[in-house]
């Protein structure tokens, strides 16, 4: 009880010693202009700028709303303490927070109201926005030359038990990290589409985004550019003392000391996917950094199991390094889950000590790394890019080869679409290195010839469906089909034979195809008849002049007749079919 009393007394002394203005806690809403009138000199206006001369405390039932463009200059060590709602949202233009003396910084803002909102703020030469137990939105804002490693906060945005949304913001040239939270304090910011450039100008051993535990929520770092910085600056670090859930996705992480580091055992639950992690080599010492992703921490009973998929690792000192008890999943094609199918690309990750090390497993645990592109088709070269059990018997084995799963023909069916076309549908599971599929057709089940084909998709797993059209199938008789499968080494596999029954002919049909057709190409007459008869075909030009006459004897069923190429005359040609039962006219176009 005595300890709590002195803590409260200390807090009150701190507030009163810095604050010339505390709002009355009566539900009042202030603007900057009304603060000038109410604050007895704590806020003044010099004709162009609002001057914060002492700390402003907005009590829990009051509000401060800035809805117009303004410049606000803070005196040294002053700040806005928002226990009540703080809204910065100018209708047009921006709001600038800066220092009255840029060499003697102000603290910034301490926000404890979850209903607060910040939009279109430029904040410079201060310490931090410090969020306490409030998950607000900060967007379309910029932070530059912030933080001076004070107890107020050592990042441009410093978090304490807060899960803010931070989007479309720019962080440049800040003295320490751009965004940070304590290792043992649960914070789960969602950082979307922001730009981070050259933060940590003090060149301390910190990254541009520096986070710890997330609690039951999930840290989301998605769609950002994280670029450059002094030689000790990293890109992203997550080091939770407690649970650390994270999604790091679709970022460009370039020109840092390292790209991403994840430290911890099975308390780290992360998915790192579809990032470009490029040229994180600015320090140049492979003993101190340079990894695209560095994994560390864990033990024999507490392995880290982060999933890494779809990323591009290019030009780093190391592609991925694995230390201690870490056991990331870099690609496992043996399970049904498709979120861990590898798909990472490794290009020219190298350093002078251990050249061309795309993956360095310096832990005693086996690692799955299937389904990745090692920038080579040569297995010996791929092995040379991976340091593991074959290089040091005390280390774990990296399984980087894709499993050979049995090819399965899940479906093979045929059905007529019309008098001329049969559709052939087939579904293949685990097709792997299949180069070509061919459809064979015959009038019986033993004499089949290829009539159509399609290239394989080479999908290592999952089911792939194909559709092939047999454009010259025979309508009037039972037709037999078989699927022929050819892999990259020429090995051939066949499906079972399926049949398409003959169709019952109830009427005569005549057709010349194709149309339009280029002069000199083959032209075909297709006749479907229900009896023996003579059919006459006459060709006329558009003016009615007779060009050619053909007489043909046909039988019941379907027949295809190749016409002589000399019948082709450029322009529109009318074809008249005549039988004892009547006539049929068709128009052709000859190019």
């Amino acid at each position: 009880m005595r300890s709590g009393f002195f803590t409260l007394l200390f807090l009150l002394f701190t507030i009163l010693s810095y604050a010339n203005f505390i709002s009355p806690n009566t539900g009042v809403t202030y603007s900057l202009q009304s603060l000038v009138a109410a604050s007895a000199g704590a806020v003044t206006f010099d004709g162009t700028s609002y001057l914060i001369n002492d700390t402003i405390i907005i009590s829990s039932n009051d509000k401060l709303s800035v809805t117009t463009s303004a410049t606000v200059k803070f005196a040294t060590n002053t700040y806005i303490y928002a226990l009540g709602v703080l809204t910065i949202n100018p209708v047009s233009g921006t709001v600038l927070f800066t220092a009255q003396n840029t060499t003697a910084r102000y603290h910034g803002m301490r926000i404890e109201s979850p209903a607060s909102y910040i939009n279109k703020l430029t904040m410079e030469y201060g310490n931090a926005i410090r969020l306490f137990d409030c998950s607000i939105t900060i967007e379309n804002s910029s932070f530059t030359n912030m933080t001076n490693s004070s107890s107020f906060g050592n990042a441009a945005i410093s978090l304490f038990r807060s899960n803010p949304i931070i989007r479309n913001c720019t962080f440049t040239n800040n003295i320490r990290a751009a965004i940070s939270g304590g290792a043992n304090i649960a914070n789960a910011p969602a950082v979307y589409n922001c730009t981070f450039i050259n933060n940590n100008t003090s060149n301390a051993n910190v990254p541009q985004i520096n986070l710890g535990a997330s609690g039951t929520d999930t840290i989301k770092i998605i769609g950002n550019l994280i670029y450059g910085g002094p030689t000790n600056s990293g890109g992203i670090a997550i080091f939770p003392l407690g649970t650390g859930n994270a999604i790091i996705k679709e970022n460009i992480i370039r020109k840092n000391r390292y790209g991403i580091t994840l430290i911890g055992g099975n308390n780290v639950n992360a998915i790192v996917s579809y990032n470009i992690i490029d040229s994180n080599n600015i320090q140049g010492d492979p003993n101190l950094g340079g990894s695209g992703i560095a994994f560390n921490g864990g033990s024999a009973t507490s392995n880290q199991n982060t999933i890494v998929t779809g990323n591009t690792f290019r030009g780093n000192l190391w592609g991925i390094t694995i230390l201690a008890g870490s056991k990331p999943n870099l690609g496992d094609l043996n399970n049904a889950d498709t979120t861990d199918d590898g798909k990472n690309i490794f290009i020219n990750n190298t350093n002078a000590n251990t050249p061309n090390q795309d993956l360095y497993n310096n832990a005693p645990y086996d690692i799955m790394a299937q389904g990745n592109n090692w920038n080579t088709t040569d297995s010996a070269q791929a092995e040379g890019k991976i340091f593991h059990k074959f290089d040091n018997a005390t280390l774990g084995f990296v399984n980087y080869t894709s499993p050979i799963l049995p090819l399965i023909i899940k479906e093979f069916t045929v059905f007529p679409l019309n008098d001329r076309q049969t559709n052939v549908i087939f579904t293949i599971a685990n097709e792997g290195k299949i180069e070509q599929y061919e459809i064979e057709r015959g009038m019986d089940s033993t004499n089949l010839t290829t009539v159509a084909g399609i290239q394989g998709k080479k999908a290592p797993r999952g089911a792939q469906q194909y559709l092939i059209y047999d454009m010259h199938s025979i309508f009037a008789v039972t037709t037999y089909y078989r699927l022929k499968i050819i892999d990259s080494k020429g090995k051939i596999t066949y499906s079972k034979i399926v049949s398409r029954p003959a169709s019952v002919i109830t009427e005569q049909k005549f057709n010349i195809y194709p149309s339009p057709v280029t002069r000199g190409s083959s032209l075909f007459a297709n006749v479907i008849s229900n009896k023996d008869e003579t059919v006459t075909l006459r060709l006329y030009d558009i003016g009615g002049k007779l060009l050619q006459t053909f007489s043909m004897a046909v039988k019941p069923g379907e027949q295809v007749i190749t016409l002589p190429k000399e019948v082709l005359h450029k322009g529109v040609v009318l074809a008249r079919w005549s039988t004892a039962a009547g006539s049929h006219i068709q128009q052709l176009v000859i190019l």
Side-chain angles (χ1 to χ4, degrees):
M1 184 69 176
R2 184 176 180 84
S3 173
F5 170 77
F6 282 111
T7 300
L8 178 60
L9 184 63
F10 174 78
L11 178 61
L12 288 173
F13 175 78
T14 301
I15 292 172
L16 292 175
S17 64
Y18 283 103
N20 270 4
F21 179 75
I22 302 174
S23 71
N25 204 28
T26 57
V28 64
T29 298
Y30 291 98
S31 65
L32 289 172
Q33 191 60 48
S34 63
L35 271 179
V36 172
S39 65
V43 182
T44 57
F45 185 66
D46 66 3
T48 58
S49 303
Y50 293 94
L51 305 179
I52 305 294
N53 302 309
D54 273 293
T55 295
I56 305 300
I57 300 174
I58 306 301
S59 300
S60 57
N61 290 315
D62 299 333
K63 298 179 181 179
L64 172 58
S65 180
V66 183
T67 58
T68 59
S69 179
T71 297
V72 182
K73 296 182 177 180
F74 289 75
T76 302
N77 294 331
T78 62
Y79 61 102
I80 294 175
Y81 188 178
L83 293 163
V85 175
L86 170 64
T87 300
I88 300 175
N89 187 23
V91 174
S92 62
T94 61
V95 173
L96 171 64
F97 280 11
T98 189
Q100 294 181 21
N101 179 355
T102 57
T103 62
R105 296 169 178 273
Y106 62 102
H107 286 320
M109 290 186 284
R110 172 172 171 150
I111 303 174
E112 298 189 16
S113 167
S116 296
Y117 173 63
I118 295 176
N119 182 33
K120 295 190 285 187
L121 170 67
T122 297
M123 194 170 180
E124 63 180 17
Y125 297 109
N127 191 175
I129 292 180
R130 193 170 188 185
L131 302 181
F132 273 75
D133 294 297
C134 64
S135 301
I136 69 173
T137 294
I138 302 174
E139 59 186 343
N140 306 311
S141 297
S142 63
F143 303 86
T144 184
N145 293 297
M146 296 289 290
T147 79
N148 63 355
S149 305
S150 79
S151 59
F152 191 85
N154 62 1
I157 298 179
S158 296
L159 307 176
F160 186 86
R161 295 196 303 254
S162 297
N163 306 336
I165 296 172
I166 304 170
R167 61 188 171 208
N168 302 321
C169 293
T170 301
F171 299 82
T172 57
N173 301 314
N174 294 294
I175 296 173
R176 296 273 291 196
I179 301 171
S180 74
N184 62 339
I185 307 298
N187 299 287
V191 185
Y192 302 118
N193 304 318
C194 293
T195 298
F196 301 82
I197 298 177
N198 198 45
N199 297 291
N200 185 33
T201 58
S202 64
N203 205 23
N205 183 19
V206 296
Q208 301 200 55
I209 299 176
N210 191 19
L211 297 169
S214 66
T216 58
D217 208 332
T218 299
I219 297 165
K220 301 178 182 69
I221 303 173
I222 300 175
N224 304 282
L225 171 64
I226 304 169
Y227 183 92
T231 56
N232 281 326
S233 298
I236 300 170
I238 297 179
F239 183 7
L241 299 180
T243 300
N245 305 314
I247 297 172
I248 304 173
K249 179 180 179 182
E250 297 173 358
N251 303 284
I252 298 173
I253 307 170
R254 191 166 188 267
K255 288 286 186 181
N256 302 282
R257 173 185 158 199
Y258 55 82
I260 301 170
T261 185
L262 297 168
I263 303 176
N266 60 13
N267 59 317
V268 176
N269 306 295
I271 297 178
V272 182
S273 62
Y274 300 97
N275 302 281
I276 296 174
I277 304 173
D278 176 39
S279 302
N280 295 285
N281 55 19
I282 61 173
Q283 187 184 47
D285 186 345
N287 296 313
L288 299 177
S291 299
I293 303 180
F295 295 95
N296 203 343
S299 65
T301 59
S302 177
N303 296 135
Q304 186 185 145
N305 292 291
T306 295
I307 294 174
V308 180
T309 184
N311 303 281
T312 297
F313 298 87
R314 178 177 57 217
N316 307 287
L317 295 184
W318 316 81
I320 296 175
T321 54
I322 304 170
L323 301 172
S326 299
K327 192 176 180 181
N329 179 349
L330 310 181
D332 188 349
L333 301 181
N334 295 306
N335 58 30
D337 185 5
T338 59
T339 63
D340 64 349
D341 278 4
K343 301 180 184 178
N344 300 290
I345 301 171
F346 296 87
I347 304 170
N348 298 332
N349 301 286
T350 189
N351 65 79
N353 292 353
T354 53
N356 303 310
Q357 291 301 291
D358 286 324
L359 174 55
Y360 196 95
N361 182 24
N362 200 25
Y365 307 109
D366 294 344
I367 303 296
M368 295 299 293
Q370 297 174 332
N372 297 300
N373 183 340
W374 303 97
N375 198 31
T376 180
T377 58
D378 186 280
S379 58
Q381 289 183 9
E383 173 62 38
K385 295 170 180 281
I386 299 169
F387 190 90
H388 62 140
K389 191 176 188 67
F390 292 158
D391 304 286
N392 183 332
T394 66
L395 302 177
F397 170 68
V398 174
N399 183 350
Y400 62 93
T401 59
S402 298
I404 300 175
L405 301 176
L407 181 142
I408 301 172
I409 303 173
K410 301 186 66 150
E411 175 191 23
F412 181 52
T413 57
V414 298
F415 62 92
L417 184 65
N418 53 45
D419 295 343
R420 295 297 307 147
Q421 180 177 317
T422 294
N423 286 357
V424 181
I425 294 177
F426 56 97
T427 302
I428 305 294
N430 309 327
E431 68 176 1
K433 298 182 179 180
I434 299 303
E435 292 287 343
Q436 180 80 8
Y437 297 99
E438 295 179 359
I439 299 300
E440 297 181 332
R441 183 189 68 204
M443 297 302 102
D444 56 51
S445 60
T446 56
N447 299 303
L448 298 102
T449 58
T450 298
V451 294
I454 191 171
Q455 291 217 324
K457 300 175 184 176
K458 297 184 180 180
R461 60 190 298 177
Q464 306 297 318
Q465 188 176 73
Y466 295 85
L467 170 63
I468 296 180
Y469 305 112
D470 179 8
M471 303 299 293
H472 303 288
S473 59
I474 299 176
F475 180 73
V477 299
T478 297
T479 310
Y480 297 87
Y481 289 90
R482 182 171 63 183
L483 177 62
K484 181 179 180 180
I485 304 169
I486 307 169
D487 71 12
S488 59
K489 295 184 178 181
K491 179 183 176 181
I492 296 174
T493 303
Y494 290 101
S495 73
K496 66 179 181 181
I497 295 174
V498 299
S499 63
R500 196 209 74 181
S503 300
V504 177
I505 299 173
T506 58
E507 58 179 337
Q508 295 173 312
K509 293 185 179 180
F510 309 96
N511 183 45
I512 296 179
Y513 66 95
S515 177
V517 66
T518 303
R519 184 180 181 186
S521 300
S522 297
L523 197 65
F524 304 94
N526 176 233
V527 180
I528 299 175
S529 179
N530 53 12
K531 60 183 177 180
D532 288 306
E533 63 179 331
T534 299
V535 177
T536 302
L537 171 63
R538 295 181 178 88
L539 303 179
Y540 300 87
D541 67 15
I542 195 65
K545 178 182 177 181
L546 179 65
L547 302 175
Q548 193 87 21
T549 300
F550 300 94
S551 183
M552 55 194 81
V554 298
K555 297 182 178 296
E558 180 181 16
Q559 41 255 295
V560 176
I561 302 166
T562 302
L563 300 179
K565 292 183 180 181
E566 60 266 20
V567 307
L568 300 182
H569 296 260
K570 283 189 176 182
V572 177
V573 174
L574 297 179
R576 181 184 180 93
W577 298 90
S578 299
T579 67
S583 62
H584 167 73
I585 295 178
Q586 178 186 355
Q587 178 177 290
L588 306 175
V589 177
I590 313 300
L591 303 176

